[in-house]
Amino acid sequence: MTEIRFEHVWKEYGSSIVLENVDFTLDNHEFLVVIGPSGVGKTTLLRLLLAQERPTRGRILLDGEPIAGEPTADRGVVFQRYSVFPHKTVLANVMVGPQWAASPLLGRLFGAPKRALAERAMALLARVGLAEHAQKYPQQLSGGMQQRLAIAQALMNQPKVLLLDEPFGALDPGTRRAMHSLVRELWEEHAMTIVMVTHDLMEAFHLGTRVIAIDKARKDSQAPERFGATITSDFCAKPRIVRDSRRFETARLRAAEAASAVPSSASERD
Ligand SMILES: Nc1ncnc2c1ncn2[C@@H]1O[C@H](COP(=O)(O)OP(=O)(O)OP(=O)(O)O)[C@@H](O)[C@H]1O
């Protein structure tokens, strides 16, 4: 069971407010998708969840407990690019996290524990369709294969929460569709909670059980950093709604309106 609670969370850098009063509860095994204009604070929200950043006000609870002060294995992350080690083979990439967790001094296991870990890693690589590429290096893989590797790497630690920061942004449409199916299946199989950032509304409603839009609800054109972004729309996008094309289309249009109603802070500054 993994419930995430943002309690009136603010993130400020000096006098610049990035997020203000972000308040929501995410149920166990939700697939939350966060949408919003460029530069509004979506990645910051993920970084807060990863504990790479601390809220300046409010708090974040994981299963009712304040989130650990530093990144821990219960939260896995996949970025748009570069989240695998280029100098390690595919298999070594997938084994590296659990090896460091089991052997913090050496980062290596030997004998039976190593064989057991390699077996688990190979099973996961087979699941994401990379078993026959286990001895290759990341630069020998396509973009979609590298992202499948990054997902396998994150899943190896059996995270309670998987954070995806525009993980399919650099992929062609066909590969993207295949990745959508894979992530949906892995989400079901691993019964984890996913929080994903994307710019793609179709993707958001196709994958998410819940979609939130964040934006600046208040604006000061003289001082854009005076106000931060907060939740401006919150859509329940359960699979039954996705299957109902008319209701899905209505929800999608409302989300598109919400995301574009206020011009992005980035475009204002441009
Ligand atoms: N360490 C930092 N110090 C100061 N400002 C920061 C810091 N990190 C992020 N910001 C600012 O926070 C704002 C939000 O950045 P963030 O990367 O979260 O936006 P985003 O919505 O993910 O953007 P994009 O969609 O373009 O990736 C930006 O204006 C950025 O400059």
Side-chain angles (χ1 to χ4, degrees):
M1 126 95 189
T2 309
E3 184 199 80
I4 298 170
R5 168 109 190 94
F6 270 59
E7 274 185 0
H8 305 287
V9 168
W10 292 63
K11 182 64 194 172
E12 294 138 303
Y13 294 103
S15 60
S16 164
I17 303 175
V18 176
L19 295 175
E20 66 175 55
N21 203 22
V22 174
D23 192 80
F24 67 93
T25 301
L26 194 60
D27 291 339
N28 182 37
H29 197 211
E30 285 266 23
F31 195 135
L32 173 71
V33 184
V34 181
I35 55 174
S38 183
V40 83
K42 303 179 296 297
T43 297
T44 303
L45 194 144
L46 284 193
R47 286 167 57 80
L48 286 166
L49 259 177
L50 258 184
Q52 285 180 344
E53 294 284 353
R54 307 282 298 160
T56 42
R57 294 184 240 176
R59 58 183 192 155
I60 302 170
L61 305 172
L62 210 61
D63 292 335
E65 296 292 326
I67 206 161
E70 57 195 38
T72 50
D74 58 0
R75 281 152 290 164
V77 65
V78 176
F79 297 104
Q80 186 174 3
R81 282 173 190 270
Y82 310 127
S83 48
V84 295
F85 298 105
H87 59 287
K88 287 187 183 291
T89 63
V90 165
L91 179 61
N93 257 290
V94 177
M95 288 173 64
V96 71
Q99 287 210 105
W100 277 109
S103 168
L105 280 182
L106 294 176
R108 298 193 67 178
L109 291 174
F110 301 94
K114 186 175 180 181
R115 281 195 298 280
L117 185 64
E119 215 168 278
R120 191 157 71 83
M122 281 307 297
L124 195 51
L125 286 176
R127 179 63 192 86
V128 300
L130 288 178
E132 71 226 50
H133 305 286
Q135 298 309 324
K136 290 186 179 163
Y137 287 86
Q139 72 267 23
Q140 296 173 281
L141 305 179
S142 70
M145 289 157 91
Q146 288 197 30
Q147 284 309 72
R148 280 189 268 150
L149 172 57
I151 289 169
Q153 193 185 51
L155 291 182
M156 212 35 206
N157 289 321
Q158 297 170 317
K160 292 201 250 175
V161 182
L162 182 64
L163 306 171
L164 305 172
D165 195 355
E166 293 187 56
F168 317 125
L171 305 178
D172 64 83
T175 309
R176 241 177 133 114
R177 275 195 295 278
M179 292 296 290
H180 289 167
S181 306
L182 177 67
V183 164
R184 270 302 280 228
E185 286 164 20
L186 292 171
W187 170 67
E188 294 282 3
E189 285 166 23
H190 291 255
M192 60 196 160
T193 300
I194 293 187
V195 181
M196 182 176 98
V197 164
T198 183
H199 282 108
D200 183 334
L201 281 179
M202 288 303 286
E203 180 171 277
F205 280 89
H206 178 55
L207 290 178
T209 55
R210 185 167 166 191
V211 178
I212 61 173
I214 63 167
D215 202 352
K216 291 184 191 249
R218 304 178 291 168
K219 294 218 161 194
D220 181 341
S221 54
Q222 303 301 314
E225 279 137 24
R226 187 169 158 217
F227 300 115
T230 193
I231 297 177
T232 50
S233 301
D234 190 340
F235 299 94
C236 179
K238 298 285 184 207
R240 63 188 151 73
I241 294 179
V242 173
R243 277 199 291 271
D244 180 336
S245 58
R246 203 157 49 93
R247 289 177 64 194
F248 166 59
E249 188 57 15
T250 309
R252 192 182 69 76
L253 289 172
R254 282 174 54 208
E257 272 170 31
S260 63
V262 192
S264 78
S265 49
S267 59
E268 261 198 349
R269 280 197 294 273
D270 288 345

